[in-house]
Amino acid sequence: MDTSQEETLAELKRRLAEISAAAAATAPAGDGDARGGAKGTRTAPEPVDAKPGASRPARRRKTPAKTPDTFKEDGFGEEAPADEPWAEPGTGGSGSKRGGKKSGRGRQGWGQQGADADQPEEAVPLTPEEAYAEAKAIVLRQLTASPKSRKQLETKLAEKEIPPEAAAAVLDRFEEVQLVDDAEFARLWVRSRSQSKSLARGALRRELTEKGIAPDLAAEALEQVSADDELEAARALARKKLQASADLSDRSVRDKQTRRLVGMLARKGYSPSLGFRVAAEVIGEVRDARGDSV
């Protein structure tokens, strides 16, 4: 490099230094500061007691509050009218393209559907042949489960809304072939209940009346239970129900046990006179077996 080139380079360096000094002198405070971050922004001074390297809290950016006019400028409309709550805000109610007309049709459809659902379906009446077949099937199912009286079957057919004419025709036919027989039903009922439940004739008569059995048929069926059978059944019940741990030497305890036995026998249909007689006999048997003084 010759002398002229060196002088030119030195002149350029000098001019650049002058320009930098002039720019630094005329720049506002904070511009070009290495600690200030981005050009043209100010930073808060660090606290005196801040530790080196500690992160500075971020400053929240303040946004101006929006006025109703600002909302309208942003594309939001007025609230939906009170009589159209299904319209979305900003749709303009029923006057806009997205208003309540479409939703209104939907709500009307729902209401109509609910009204139709509340209306019960009309039952189609059965023809005489269908009613007869339905009644026959019901009676067969009932008799398969257990014997039934005619009154019981009539009640069941009425619950199933079978016409009375069809019910009577089916029951008459079943009586002709002896599948429905109140006399036989009464005999079976008395035999079963007297043996399994030890019921007296009074209780059996009440049950037959509830089943719709005629009085003459009930009396005929009750002849299966004699007075001796009834007495033996009452004694067996009293022996079973008497408390074995009771101190029968005490008069008050004997009276209490007597009342319990008489009440139990009365619920089984036995008369009070028979109940007191049986209770005294059973209590006496136990006292004799224990050797208690009379």
Side-chain angles (χ1 to χ4, degrees):
M1 182 180 295
D2 55 8
T3 305
S4 60
Q5 292 179 347
E6 293 178 355
E7 291 177 356
T8 304
L9 181 60
E11 182 67 19
L12 290 175
K13 291 181 178 180
R14 185 179 61 79
R15 289 182 178 276
L16 288 174
E18 292 177 357
I19 293 172
S20 298
T26 58
D31 290 352
D33 191 354
R35 294 188 309 164
K39 188 176 181 179
T41 58
R42 293 184 179 181
T43 57
E46 294 184 359
V48 177
D49 56 349
K51 296 180 179 180
S55 60
R56 298 171 181 169
R59 299 184 62 184
R60 296 183 60 185
R61 181 181 178 184
K62 295 184 180 181
T63 56
K66 291 189 176 183
T67 61
D69 295 336
T70 308
F71 279 107
K72 292 181 179 180
E73 293 175 0
D74 292 343
F76 295 92
E78 299 179 356
E79 295 183 356
D83 58 346
E84 296 183 1
W86 59 87
E88 298 180 357
T91 57
S94 59
S96 65
K97 295 181 180 179
R98 297 176 56 198
K101 288 186 178 181
K102 184 177 180 180
S103 300
R105 288 196 298 269
R107 191 174 70 164
Q108 182 179 1
W110 295 336
Q112 185 67 27
Q113 182 179 2
D116 295 341
D118 294 339
Q119 295 179 357
E121 297 182 359
E122 296 181 358
V124 179
L126 298 175
T127 63
E129 294 78 9
E130 293 174 343
Y132 186 91
E134 182 68 18
K136 181 179 178 181
I138 294 172
V139 172
L140 286 174
R141 286 196 300 268
Q142 292 295 313
L143 294 176
T144 302
S146 63
K148 298 289 190 300
S149 65
R150 178 170 180 132
K151 182 180 179 181
Q152 289 178 292
L153 296 173
E154 288 177 349
T155 303
K156 180 60 65 175
L157 292 174
E159 291 176 357
K160 299 296 184 179
E161 298 182 356
I162 300 298
E165 298 80 6
V170 170
L171 293 177
D172 290 343
R173 178 56 182 167
F174 272 68
E175 283 186 339
E176 291 177 5
V177 298
Q178 296 183 351
L179 291 176
V180 175
D181 189 348
D182 283 357
E184 182 63 21
F185 171 81
R187 287 191 292 268
L188 293 174
W189 186 266
V190 169
R191 189 181 307 121
S192 173
R193 300 287 286 177
S194 62
Q195 294 176 1
S196 62
K197 300 295 183 180
S198 300
L199 296 180
R201 287 175 291 183
L204 293 171
R205 184 179 292 105
R206 288 194 297 271
E207 290 184 350
L208 291 175
T209 301
E210 293 174 357
K211 303 297 181 183
I213 303 302
D216 55 338
L217 297 178
E220 181 182 351
L222 290 172
E223 292 178 357
Q224 300 176 99
V225 181
S226 63
D228 294 338
D229 296 335
E230 198 172 70
L231 179 60
E232 290 300 325
R235 287 172 177 168
L237 283 172
R239 294 188 183 102
K240 182 178 179 181
K241 296 297 182 180
L242 179 64
Q243 293 181 354
S245 60
D247 184 11
L248 299 178
S249 61
D250 188 349
R251 178 63 180 272
S252 61
V253 176
R254 291 199 304 272
D255 292 343
K256 181 179 180 180
Q257 293 298 315
T258 300
R259 290 193 298 271
R260 290 182 67 253
L261 293 176
V262 171
M264 180 270 298
L265 292 173
R267 289 190 294 273
K268 295 286 187 177
Y270 296 92
S271 63
S273 59
L274 180 61
F276 279 105
R277 173 187 169 184
V278 170
E281 290 179 0
V282 173
I283 292 176
E285 292 174 359
V286 175
R287 294 190 65 193
D288 293 342
R290 294 179 180 177
D292 295 339
S293 59
V294 180

